[in-house]
Amino acid sequence: MSVIVNGYELNDAEMEQELPNHQDAADAVQSAMTALVLRRVLLDEARQLQLQADKDEELIEALLRQEVKVPMPGREECLRQYQTHPARFTVGELAEASHILFQVTNGVDLEALRKHASIVLADLLQEPCLFAACAKANSNCPSSEVGGSLGQVGRGATVPEFEQALFVAEAGSIIPRLVETRFGLHIIQVGRKVEGRLRPFEEVESKIADAMRMASHDHAVRQYLQLLVGRAKISGIDLPGADSPLVQ
């Protein structure tokens, strides 16, 4: 079935050009077609408003500049963000970490893997001195050859789930639960920790403001797209809430 937006039928040539940008999506074709629909809706609105530009991308940018305006957050808003999330503005924080990775691969029996990992964890909580040996015997990470040691780890060096678990745990402990990431299930042993330094608010205020404004702008763009899609005549595709990411 053809996809038609405000009387314009999207064609195969447009899809062929757009599709390579969506190869990482769960459904590349759906994602590409959604992007093309949103792009057409934006272009139609820009022309309706009689905006002028040499290229379509510039026309879309001109439309968003005119129609989506987000104020810069004030000092008090930035200060609340700073006080609520101090870890984001702390530098130099380090933790010695070792882990045992039970990798999740295609076809693996996840429940059996989780049961095995839980048994290993229970044993290690009773006898932490066996960690290095257990890592060598069980871990699917190259670090198994050095007893699971990852050395000193700073913030931003690992995936978020691993980092969060590591930095809230006590030094010299084994985290008493399995930590799940996209790589699999981890048993994590925490060694020595080095406290970081909280950067002064004045030093990071402008970066906080920029990040908050960018987040607000992205939200405002999604709302604007929802408005335009709601007004448009679209057939041949079911848009998932019209909040798909805008074409780059």
Side-chain angles (χ1 to χ4, degrees), residues 186-222:
H186 306 255
I187 298 174
I188 303 175
Q189 183 179 54
V190 187
R192 293 175 299 176
K193 301 181 79 173
V194 177
E195 297 297 326
R197 175 184 68 87
L198 180 63
R199 298 174 67 184
F201 174 67
E202 291 72 20
E203 193 176 295
V204 296
E205 181 180 359
S206 63
K207 292 183 179 180
I208 295 174
D210 288 342
M212 292 181 67
R213 186 179 184 282
M214 185 176 297
S216 296
H217 181 268
D218 290 346
H219 178 69
V221 167
R222 288 194 294 271

